[in-house]
Each structure stands twice: as C-alpha cells, then as structure tokens.
C-alpha cells in the first residue's frame, strides 16, 4: 500500500513541480476523486507560494477560465478528474486550437486495466480530445519519471500556440500520507552548474569534470528544422551513430558501436546525450535505460526508451559534453580501429571459395545456394563502399550496416519512425524524385514482396533511377537474431521465417526492368560501381537453417569482440 501511495503522490508532485519550472503558474482545478493526488499537490504548492490556484465546480467553465488566462498571456493548466469531466473541456479546447492560445489539459485517468471494462467514471480521454489538441502525453500509472513528457507537452503548447493533453493514470490509494512540505524547493528552476541559462528550466544538472560521456545519434537530423542551423561543437566524446544519422560521418563516430558497448567501454559510460531517434539495437536501448540520459527535444519528439531522460535543448549539448576525459575518446577510437580491422579480416576470409579452412563460421562463408562470401555482413560492408544515396529496409540489412559497415559512406535513409518494412521501395522512389540523384534501395525478399508493385509505374515512365538490391535469404532471417531464433525450428519457420516463393527474374521481365543475379562478393562490388536506370540485383543467399544463421552472426560478433578485448 505504501508503495502505491508513494507512486501516486510522487507522480502528482513531479508533474506540478515541472509545470511550475516550465513557467506555468496558474492552475484551474475542478474537484474529483481520481484527481485527488493532483489536488493535494496543488493545495500544498499554493500554500508554499509557488503557484496561483483557482477552483471551479463546472469543467466547461474551468476550461474557458484557463483559456482566458492564456489569451491574457499567462498560460494555464486546467485540472480535471476522469470521465465526462474531460468531455466538458472540449468547447474551450476547440477555441484554443483555432485561436492559437496555449492551454494545458491535465486529466487524471484510471490505470490501463480499468479502461474498456466499464469501470465507473472511465472514458477515453484521448479519443475525446485527440482531434483537437496538438500533442498528447500519456503517463502510465507508476511511471518511473514524468518529467520528459511534461516538458514536451509544455513546449508544444507554448511553441505551437495551442492546447495539449497530459493524461495521467493514478492508482489507489489517492490520498497522500503527509503534506508536501518541500514544494517550494522542488519547484525551483533547475540551472546548470556554472551557467546562468538553463534552457528555460531544462535542467542539465552539474556537468562535473571527468564525466565519461557518449553521444547516441539516430536519424531525423537531415530533415528536422532544429538542425537547419549548424550543430554545436560535439567536443571530444565518442559518437555512436546509426547509419541514417548525419553524424555517422563525424570524425568522432566509432565503428561497430553496438559491439563496443558489450566491452568494458560500455560499462564505464556515465552520461548519454541522445540526438535524433536511435532504434536499431538492444545494446543502445539498454544503455539508455541505465544511465544519466539527456535527450534533445526535436520537432518529432525526443527519444526516451525507459522514461528516465532529462529533456534538453540543442544549445545545452556543449555543456553536457564539456569535461569528458581527454583519453576517453582515444580509447573508443582505438577499440573502433581494432573492431574495423577484425571485421575486414573476417569478411575477407569468407569471400574466397576455398577460405573456409581459416576459422570460417558455419553458414558464413557461403549460403546453401552457393553465393560465395555473400553474408549480410559482407553485403553491408560493400554497400557502404559506394557513394550512391541508399535507402535501407528496416530489417536485417540496416542492422548489419550499423554493425559492420564502413564509415563514412554515402547518404543513407530508412523508414525508422515505426520501423516497418512496408513501402520501402516506394519511399526510395520518393527520395530519388526529390534529390534527382540515382538512388539505391536494399531490401530482403519479404520487404521486396511487400512493395514490388511500386516498380511498375517507375519502370514505365521517365523518372527516378533506381537500383533495387534484393537480399533473398528465403524469409525473415532477422528473427533468428532475436530470442525466437533460440527456440524450436519448426514453429520458427512457420510463423517467423514465413518464406515465400517468388520468381524475382520473371517479375523483373514482367515489369520491364533490368535483372541480374549476383553470386559472389566481387561481382556485387563491381555491380554497385556501375551506372543504372532501373534494375534489380538479386542476391540469392540461400536458405540457411535458423541455428546456422544464428551461430554465424554470433560467431562474427564474438570474433570482433575478441579482437577488441575487454
């Protein structure tokens, strides 16, 4: 019981404190039971003199009171309980949207398990207001941290001049055990040590000399207005950049960073600064779940996989990186060079037909079809030797490029917002049309089947020059790298691999595009250097059994880790 009480009270107080730190001082409250943690927090904060509280009994009236405050230049938060209370805010929210007035709706809700089961006073708050607000922050019951969501919501309300919904689930008991005696101290703005700014209360904390820091960089920099201006100095820290991040070409970017995180270097990281939207590896997700994390807020949002990140502005980044030990980057760069050399050596051994005797890995030197040296790791390496803009399917290949590709490479794109494989070739066609450049798209056989008809119109009209590389590994081999690949092979083949039969050459003839089967790594490298109009390069990698596929990937990773050391 105490744990539940502490969670509800903690969440309510953190939300109120962060709103005050973000400049919200006026709160309009309607009485209710589910909102009791917020009501008590507001009463205590009012007593401490850190906010102005107005109480109404009618939610419709309360919504317009908050709107009026916003019209006068003082953004307000209207606080309601669950159920029809939220629906009564709709007229004021609609007015705020179309009048361009900042307005925060702070709604108390039931926990997830209470929704959809006809629990009393439970309504779909998001469904009621989502079409009218500019942003929705859903804060789950017992959330470990609420700060990032609140910061994001406030910035959207102020920056986009409109209403936002912060929907907070509270579990019983809802009444705090004791008053909030340190409300004034907790609501004080957070200011970075040694700086008078603080980015509007973003709170970068004490920079601290000697903090071992890394930058984790994912996609979104290229198209995000936030990065239209020059990026700040990223200092002398390692950059763990995914292939589609522009920081992949930065001098501080390190090779095979997911593997390096498994060494002692990863264990010694103390601070992480996140730029963009990294999504590719569980190694990075684990890093972002267990460290001091700062996420840069962007137009599309911020990345906080564990709900613990502090949200900062781009201008805060140099200060967060300052003071990282000088030898820290040198250690990462040295490990990166050793990893890169080990990858090169291992892939070189897999390429010649007779090289299997030098410790080659099962299923790694060649596929069952006889495609010599054409492991996905080797293909990834070859792709990054080309300067052609390349769109990577959100499946195995982008992860292999992330692990084993060279850097720098040509511009790389991927659909990583939701990380689905649907529409991959269509997206690449759009990229080619926008840039006017020959563009390559790399897909597995399943991603190719998903979007094969996109080639029909492209082939039949003058338009984009598209090079389609199909890595045909007879189904979804990506799943072999996950926990499902350690299970029984029968169910794996049936519900994960899901192999399909498509004659790729016959399809190419049918739609009128050039077709070439690639059987060796040297042949692939030569083809990637050629000019093209619209063509398909078909790599039949063979149907490698799940266990062999998994062993090959694990073996190559182990070999690189052995070369890097601990």
């Amino acid at each position: 019981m105490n744990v539940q009480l502490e969670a509800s009270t903690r969440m309510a107080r953190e939300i109120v404190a962060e709103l005050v730190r973000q400049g919200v001082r006026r709160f309009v409250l309607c009485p209710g039971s589910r909102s009791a943690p917020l009501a008590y927090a507001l009463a205590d904060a009012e007593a401490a003199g850190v906010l102005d509280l107005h109480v109404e009994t009618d939610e419709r009236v309360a919504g317009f009171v908050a709107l009026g405050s916003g019209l006068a230049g003082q953004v307000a938060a209207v606080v309601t309980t669950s159920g029809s209370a939220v629906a009564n805010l709709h007229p004021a929210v609609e007015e705020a949207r179309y009048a361009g007035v900042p307005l925060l709706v702070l709604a108390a809700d039931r926990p997830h398990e209470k929704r959809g089961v006809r629990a009393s006073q439970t309504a779909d708050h998001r469904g009621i207001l989502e079409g009218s607000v500019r942003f929705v922050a859903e804060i789950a019951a017992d959330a470990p941290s609420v700060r990032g969501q609140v910061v994001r919501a406030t910035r959207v309300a102020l920056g986009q001049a409109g209403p936002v919904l912060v929907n907070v689930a509270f579990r019983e008991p809802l009444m705090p055990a004791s008053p909030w005696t340190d409300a004034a101290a907790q609501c004080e703005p957070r200011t970075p040590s040694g700086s008078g700014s603080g980015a509007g209360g973003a709170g970068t904390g004490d920079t601290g000399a000697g903090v071992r820091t890394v930058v984790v960089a994912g996609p979104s920099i290229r198209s995000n207005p936030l990065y239209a201006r020059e990026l700040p100095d990223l200092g002398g820290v390692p950059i763990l950049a995914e292939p589609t991040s522009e920081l992949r070409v930065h001098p501080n970017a390190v090779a095979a960073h997911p593997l390096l995180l498994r060494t002692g270097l990863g264990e010694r990281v103390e601070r992480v600064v996140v730029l963009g939207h990294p999504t590719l590896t569980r190694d990075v997700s684990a890093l972002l779940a267990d460290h001091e994390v700062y996420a840069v807020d962007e137009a599309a949002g911020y990345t906080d996989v564990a709900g613990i990140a502090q949200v900062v502005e781009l201008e805060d980044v140099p200060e967060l990186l300052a003071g990282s030990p000088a030898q820290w980057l040198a250690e990462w760069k040295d490990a990166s060079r050793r990893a890169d050399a080990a990858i090169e050596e291992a892939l070189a051994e897999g390429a010649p037909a007779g090289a299997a005797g030098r410790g080659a890995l099962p299923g790694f030197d060649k596929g069952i079809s006889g495609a010599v040296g054409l492991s996905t790791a080797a293909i990834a390496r070859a792709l990054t030797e080309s300067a052609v803009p390349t769109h990577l399917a959100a499946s195995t290949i982008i992860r292999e490029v992330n692990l084993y590709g060279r850097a720098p490479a040509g511009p790389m794109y991927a659909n990583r917002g939701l990380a689905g494989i649907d529409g991959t070739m269509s997206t690449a066609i759009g990229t080619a049309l926008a840039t006017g450049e020959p563009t390559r798209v790399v897909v597995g056989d399943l991603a190719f089947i998903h979007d094969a008809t996109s080639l029909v119109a492209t082939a039949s009209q003058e338009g984009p020059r598209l090079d389609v590389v199909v890595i045909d590994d007879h189904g979804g081999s990506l799943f072999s790298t996950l926990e499902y690949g350690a299970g029984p092979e029968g169910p794996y083949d049936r519900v994960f691999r899901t192999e399909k039969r498509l004659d790729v050459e016959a399809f190419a003839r049918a739609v009128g595009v050039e077709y070439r089967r690639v059987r060796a790594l040297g042949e692939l490298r030569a083809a990637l250097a050629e000019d093209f109009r619209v063509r398909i390069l078909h790599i039949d990698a063979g149907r490698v059994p799940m266990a062999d596929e998994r062993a090959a990937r694990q073996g190559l990773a182990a070999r690189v880790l052995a070369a890097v050391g601990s």
Side-chain angles (χ1 to χ4, degrees):
M1 294 289 286
N2 288 335
V3 173
Q4 291 179 327
L5 175 62
E6 291 172 359
S8 294
T9 300
R10 171 187 59 79
M11 287 172 57
R13 291 174 180 177
E14 284 184 3
I15 290 167
V16 170
E18 193 55 53
L19 285 171
V20 172
R21 283 195 290 265
Q22 293 297 314
V24 181
R25 289 189 56 88
R26 180 161 302 282
F27 292 79
V28 183
L29 170 71
C30 287
S33 176
R34 185 59 50 172
S35 56
L38 290 168
Y40 280 110
L42 290 169
D44 289 339
E46 180 190 38
V50 297
L51 56 80
D52 299 317
L53 178 62
H54 179 80
V55 179
E56 287 286 350
T57 57
D58 185 320
E59 285 83 6
R60 181 180 177 278
V61 173
F64 280 105
V65 169
L67 175 75
S69 183
L71 276 171
Q74 186 179 61
V75 63
V78 56
V79 184
T80 76
T81 191
S82 61
S84 61
V86 176
N88 281 290
L89 297 176
H90 203 177
V93 169
E94 280 285 288
E95 175 63 21
R97 175 181 176 84
Y98 289 101
V101 178
L103 174 67
L104 287 114
V105 174
L106 185 51
D109 204 348
R110 303 300 175 100
H112 180 77
E113 66 273 12
K114 296 289 187 181
R115 303 177 192 177
V117 294
R118 302 187 73 184
S120 180
Q121 285 189 285
T122 302
D124 183 354
H125 296 172
R126 185 170 192 147
I128 292 169
L129 294 182
E130 189 163 29
S132 303
V133 296
R134 305 200 188 281
F135 176 75
V136 176
E138 280 277 7
I139 299 178
D142 308 335
S145 176
V146 302
R147 181 174 179 273
Q149 291 273 59
V150 175
V151 170
R152 175 69 177 166
T154 309
R155 289 180 177 173
V156 171
L158 294 172
Q160 298 185 25
V164 298
L165 168 63
V166 180
N167 199 57
V168 192
F170 289 116
R171 295 190 193 280
E172 296 89 349
L174 303 172
M175 183 173 178
S178 58
W180 188 11
T181 56
D182 58 347
Q186 287 195 33
C187 291
E188 287 182 0
R190 305 181 185 192
T191 303
S193 176
S195 168
S197 66
T204 55
D206 184 1
T207 55
V211 177
R212 291 186 290 268
T213 304
V214 299
V215 169
V216 171
S220 77
I221 293 175
R222 184 178 290 104
S223 60
N224 196 322
L226 179 67
Y227 295 94
R229 59 191 185 276
E230 186 177 352
L231 277 168
D233 179 10
L234 296 177
V237 301
I239 296 175
L240 318 184
E242 292 186 353
T244 52
S245 167
E246 286 193 344
L247 293 182
R248 185 81 168 193
V249 302
H250 194 281
N252 293 6
V254 297
H257 67 263
L259 297 181
L260 299 187
L261 285 173
R262 303 177 197 177
T263 70
L265 288 171
E267 296 171 1
R268 293 164 58 209
V269 173
E270 296 173 310
R271 172 180 292 166
V272 185
V273 177
V274 184
L275 295 171
H277 185 48
T279 60
L280 283 178
T281 70
R282 294 184 177 185
D283 302 282
V284 168
S285 294
L287 180 74
L288 301 183
D290 192 31
H291 287 78
E292 180 185 333
V293 179
Y294 298 87
V296 174
D297 196 16
E298 303 182 346
Y302 61 93
T303 300
D304 181 17
V305 299
I308 62 172
Q310 295 194 50
V311 183
V312 296
E313 298 280 7
L314 195 62
E315 290 80 3
D316 297 320
V317 171
E319 184 178 5
L320 289 166
L321 305 185
S324 191
Q327 73 275 15
W328 179 237
L329 175 60
E331 291 179 61
W332 278 85
K333 296 292 282 186
D334 180 61
S336 176
R337 283 190 291 270
R338 282 182 279 146
D340 198 61
I343 293 167
E344 190 70 21
E345 180 183 4
L347 296 182
E349 290 179 8
R358 295 176 58 197
L361 304 164
F364 177 68
D365 58 331
K366 61 181 181 178
I368 292 174
S369 68
V372 179
L374 283 169
S375 66
T376 48
I379 296 168
R381 193 83 165 172
L383 289 169
T384 55
E385 293 167 358
S386 170
V388 173
T390 300
H391 197 104
L392 301 170
S395 54
T396 300
I397 187 58
I398 191 170
R399 290 167 172 81
E400 296 292 273
V401 169
N402 192 38
L403 280 168
Y404 303 119
R406 294 184 185 276
M412 291 199 164
Y413 306 87
N415 291 349
R416 297 300 303 175
L418 294 177
I421 64 172
D422 188 37
T424 301
M425 292 192 294
S426 299
T427 307
I429 291 168
T431 301
L433 288 169
T435 63
E437 298 181 49
T439 300
R440 179 167 291 129
V441 57
V442 188
V443 293
D445 48 303
L446 294 186
F448 178 78
I449 292 169
H450 259 274
D451 204 25
T453 55
S454 65
L455 294 181
V456 175
T458 299
S460 62
Q461 62 183 318
E462 289 298 321
R465 296 161 62 190
L466 193 69
D467 200 22
V468 181
V469 179
V470 181
I471 305 172
D472 188 353
D473 53 6
H474 296 239
S477 66
L478 169 65
F479 294 108
S480 71
T481 67
L482 305 177
E483 56 267 33
Y484 323 113
E489 186 147 5
Y492 170 84
D493 285 343
R494 173 64 172 155
V495 298
F496 290 106
R497 179 189 287 274
T498 59
E499 179 180 3
K500 303 292 186 290
R501 289 181 173 83
L502 174 69
D503 188 331
V504 179
E505 182 176 7
F507 176 85
R509 287 197 305 270
V511 299
V513 302
E514 179 187 351
Y515 171 88
R516 185 183 309 179
R517 184 182 294 271
V518 178
R519 294 180 171 83
L521 185 58
E523 187 180 343
L524 174 63
R525 285 197 170 105
L528 293 178
E530 297 172 356
D531 196 10
F532 54 85
R533 171 36 198 127
V534 180
R535 78 173 173 183
I536 296 174
L537 296 179
H538 183 200
I539 304 167
D540 190 344
R543 191 185 190 284
V544 180
M546 174 191 74
D548 287 352
E549 181 84 34
R550 190 175 178 85
R553 296 177 188 276
Q554 291 176 343
L556 178 55
R559 181 164 175 168
V560 175
L561 286 170
V564 172
S566 58

